[in-house]
Amino acid sequence: MESFQHFLPLSLACFCVWLMLAQAAVAASVPVDGALSDGDAAHPPVRIGMPLESPPYIYENPSDGLDVQVIRGVFDWAYIKVVFVHAPLVRLPLLLDNGLVDGFISFSHVSTLADGGRHYHQTRPYSYWRNAVIARSGEMNISVSDWTDGIDTLRIGTFPGADQVLNGEGGVDRRMLSQAMVIDNSQRAARLLARGRIDIYVGDYWSLGHFYQSMKAATGHPLRVLYRYEPTPHWLIFDREELARTFDTALSAFECSGAQEALFDQYRPRTSLAQD
């Protein structure tokens, strides 16, 4: 068993090195000097449909954020330039169907998308929503161990569609989620939580923490994670299988290089997110 434990990390490391070398060999004839320009890449730029601004994952003007940097970094491994096209989430499939983008971000599995007779191809997850039940420490001092006991008396806020996405896990059942205050963005949710206008928030704690840490009302009242849901994947959807395969291959190299984890560390909220 001990020899196997030593062998496994070595095998994974060797595989990563082989994968990176294979990526470099494929693109060896492509000159690269910093950011790719339209004329540098053997492959034409890939247009990715991206939702509207949702910090820290997505920023507009210019396109930036965790998701943008991960996608751009992955395609860099394939020596392909990326152009981001921002639009409301519900319109992204229409952009693909009309040939305005080559692929788009989806937070739903490909099997749930109406493809209008077209066959979509889904990549592996490249990032995740990190949904949780989050409280503001302070006067109420809601306990991690017994917070569900008085849940009927708590003022709950959540993101649009949470009752469909989270399926009533974690002690906040679908009925309560459907009756909760729907808050259209994490910045407003952070403001309401910091000022004590809601007792708990059900949503992405990286996004909430991003805004919460800069609010004066939050001083001395760090966030406390009462329950963590299973991460919700972010995928890319393409109508061409070769693009999905190219992305997945480059994603494996990007993960092995440590660049993905470095970006996660860069965007992880610095505010206290204690879970006792």
Side-chain angles (χ1 to χ4, degrees), residues 33-66:
D33 183 14
L36 295 175
S37 68
D38 291 354
D40 287 332
H43 193 290
V46 170
R47 301 162 301 170
I48 299 296
M50 180 76 68
L52 302 178
E53 188 153 316
S54 180
Y57 299 97
I58 301 167
Y59 295 90
E60 301 179 67
N61 302 318
S63 296
D64 203 355
L66 178 56

Side-chain angles (χ1 to χ4, degrees), residues 9 18 23-24 31 35 43 46 49 71 92 104 109-110 123-124 128 137 142 153 158 166 190 198 221 226 235 253 255:
W18 173 85
Q23 286 284 316
H43 193 290
V46 170
I71 293 170
L92 296 180
F104 63 89
H109 192 271
V110 67
T123 66
R124 293 197 297 108
Y128 298 87
S137 66
I142 301 171
T153 66
T158 191
L166 300 179
I198 57 175
H221 299 285
L226 306 178
W235 294 284
E255 291 168 339

Side-chain angles (χ1 to χ4, degrees), residues 97 110 112-120:
D97 292 343
V110 67
T112 67
L113 299 174
D115 59 14
R118 304 180 66 169
H119 188 56
Y120 291 151

Side-chain angles (χ1 to χ4, degrees), residues 189-251:
R191 187 181 303 114
L192 291 172
L193 195 60
R195 294 175 179 175
R197 301 290 299 276
I198 57 175
D199 300 315
I200 61 175
Y201 177 69
V202 181
D204 182 82
Y205 60 89
W206 278 27
S207 185
L208 186 78
H210 170 80
F211 291 109
Y212 188 86
Q213 62 192 355
S214 63
M215 295 182 176
K216 278 188 177 180
T219 304
H221 299 285
L223 296 176
R224 302 175 69 238
V225 176
L226 306 178
Y227 179 86
R228 296 178 193 267
Y229 294 91
E230 286 295 316
T232 303
H234 297 189
W235 294 284
L236 287 182
I237 305 293
F238 295 100
D239 62 353
R240 292 159 53 197
E241 185 179 5
E242 64 269 21
L243 279 177
R245 286 203 309 263
T246 296
F247 183 87
D248 281 346
T249 301
L251 177 58

Side-chain angles (χ1 to χ4, degrees), residues 54 89 107-108 129-134 156-169 172 174 176-190 192 198 200-205 207-208 229-232 234:
S54 180
L89 184 65
F107 309 131
S108 303
W129 292 121
R130 296 160 178 85
N131 290 311
V133 180
I134 308 157
I156 303 172
T158 191
F159 61 92
D163 56 324
Q164 301 301 316
V165 174
L166 300 179
N167 296 320
E169 303 173 44
V172 183
R174 181 170 289 179
M176 290 180 179
L177 287 175
S178 66
Q179 296 173 357
M181 178 191 297
V182 176
I183 305 171
D184 56 3
N185 62 72
S186 295
Q187 184 175 22
R188 181 165 175 253
L192 291 172
I198 57 175
I200 61 175
Y201 177 69
V202 181
D204 182 82
Y205 60 89
S207 185
L208 186 78
Y229 294 91
E230 286 295 316
T232 303
H234 297 189

